[in-house]
Amino acid sequence: MKKLTALALSLATLGTGSAYANTSTAPSVELLIADASKPLSPAMRGEITTTIVSEHAANLLTNPIKGLPTPSSQVSDIEQVPTVLTTANKSGSLLIDTTLMDEFITVVSPNARHYPPSFPNATSEYLAKQNVKHLSDWIEPYADAPDASFDIVLRAAKLNGIARNLNVGTDYSVRASKHMQKALRLEPNHAEANFLLGMMMSEAGGFAEGKKYLDKAASLGYTEAEQSLAQADLLNDNKGLALDRLKKLLTKDPTNAQISQQIRTIEEGGYYIWQNDGKPLNIKPVQR
């Protein structure tokens, strides 16, 4: 049983029922088809995902019992996060709640999307590893399914790419490549999918192989692909071409602070342009 709020715990203990949270391991896809109307989600924060029901329970808020104190609770720092439901298969019969997954990818990507990763402190890096391993393992059976949707495969590619950069294990590097290639088979002209594969190849030392994917992503208007090409130019001792790429990008987007900083990094003699701002990251520990 997972941790409950003080109010939920007070009410639950009056009955004989129990509250259960999602298990940390995803059931097989086949078992889930029978109940596909209910969105699935990875247990990330000790969520209660099953309603507490007991015929012996009493609601002390509406029906006080003599001799028992009426429970009270206070809620603060409420944050409303829009729910994101993502189709997991091509038929659309299986839905996954990717809200917390997408939040994690957004928060961690600036620090771990590129190799080597860069974190403000060891705690943030540890929590990122813990979360990405959990999420990558959870989404794997859905992304690996023959009828997996593009959106799920792309998320798996991102998560395993981050896990690879964090040196979580060789299995995640293999998965990252597998899912990136699968995403491109599903949507060959998707800009980010081309970028992800090209970036991974390039940063692993295979610039010649990765360049064609980065070039395609750049031709589709994906700015980060041009930045990755500039990084590769820089590592190949072509500082002039790297600066030229970034300055052209800045002309198109004069307010882009990241590109401006990357230009300064090169002009000051630096060779790695994917620096973070050093601000603390809001990464929470996994509670299963």
Side-chain angles (χ1 to χ4, degrees):
M1 179 161 53
K2 298 299 179 181
K3 293 181 179 178
L4 312 178
T5 63
L7 175 58
L9 184 58
S10 298
L11 297 178
T13 52
L14 292 177
T16 58
S18 298
Y20 297 90
N22 278 342
T23 57
S24 59
T25 303
S28 66
V29 174
E30 290 79 7
L31 291 175
L32 293 163
I33 297 298
D35 193 21
S37 61
K38 184 183 298 182
L40 308 162
S41 64
M44 293 283 291
R45 308 287 176 251
E47 305 93 335
I48 300 173
T49 58
T50 302
T51 304
I52 300 169
V53 178
S54 172
E55 60 180 335
H56 302 295
N59 186 340
L60 299 185
L61 296 177
T62 57
N63 300 299
I65 298 176
K66 186 177 181 179
L68 288 179
T70 300
S72 62
S73 64
Q74 290 183 339
V75 180
S76 60
D77 299 324
I78 298 174
E79 180 182 4
Q80 293 185 347
V81 179
T83 299
V84 179
L85 296 180
T86 303
T87 302
N89 55 2
K90 293 177 182 178
S91 68
S93 62
L94 194 62
L95 289 177
I96 290 180
D97 182 343
T98 59
T99 308
L100 293 177
M101 185 183 300
D102 291 351
E103 179 189 54
F104 170 77
I105 292 173
T106 299
V107 169
V108 172
S109 286
N111 302 80
R113 186 168 163 103
H114 295 272
Y115 187 84
S118 177
F119 283 86
N121 53 60
T123 300
S124 293
E125 184 169 355
Y126 169 78
L127 291 174
K129 287 181 178 180
Q130 181 192 50
N131 276 263
V132 78
K133 185 178 186 302
H134 173 59
L135 288 170
S136 299
D137 291 345
W138 189 89
I139 202 174
E140 182 61 21
Y142 306 106
D144 196 43
D147 66 339
S149 71
F150 171 79
D151 288 333
I152 288 301
V153 174
L154 187 66
R155 282 172 170 82
K158 292 179 183 180
L159 288 167
N160 282 281
I162 291 172
R164 168 196 173 274
N165 292 340
L166 287 169
N167 297 313
V168 173
T170 56
D171 287 349
Y172 298 91
S173 298
V174 174
R175 285 185 196 171
S177 178
K178 176 183 69 175
H179 293 314
M180 289 173 191
Q181 293 181 57
K182 184 175 182 177
L184 284 176
R185 288 196 299 272
L186 292 170
E187 292 197 21
N189 294 318
H190 191 274
E192 188 176 19
N194 277 279
F195 162 73
L196 289 172
L197 183 57
M199 173 188 65
M200 187 179 74
M201 288 181 169
S202 179
E203 293 181 352
F207 177 64
E209 295 83 0
K211 186 176 184 299
K212 66 178 181 179
Y213 296 102
L214 291 175
D215 282 337
K216 184 169 183 177
S219 72
L220 293 168
Y222 205 79
T223 299
E224 198 172 347
E226 281 285 4
Q227 293 171 281
S228 285
L229 286 166
Q231 175 67 82
D233 292 334
L234 194 58
L235 294 177
N236 286 317
D237 293 321
N238 201 332
K239 177 179 177 179
L241 182 55
L243 278 172
D244 186 52
R245 286 186 190 276
L246 293 175
K247 287 179 179 179
K248 285 181 179 178
L249 282 179
L250 192 62
T251 300
K252 297 176 184 177
D253 186 7
T255 62
N256 192 309
Q258 184 187 55
I259 297 174
S260 296
Q261 179 57 51
Q262 290 174 337
I263 291 172
R264 286 194 296 272
T265 296
I266 297 174
E267 290 177 338
E268 293 170 1
Y271 274 83
Y272 186 66
I273 65 173
W274 299 110
Q275 303 292 339
N276 67 75
D277 56 15
K279 293 180 180 178
L281 299 182
N282 184 24
I283 307 176
K284 301 178 179 65
V286 174
Q287 298 178 22
R288 296 178 238 189

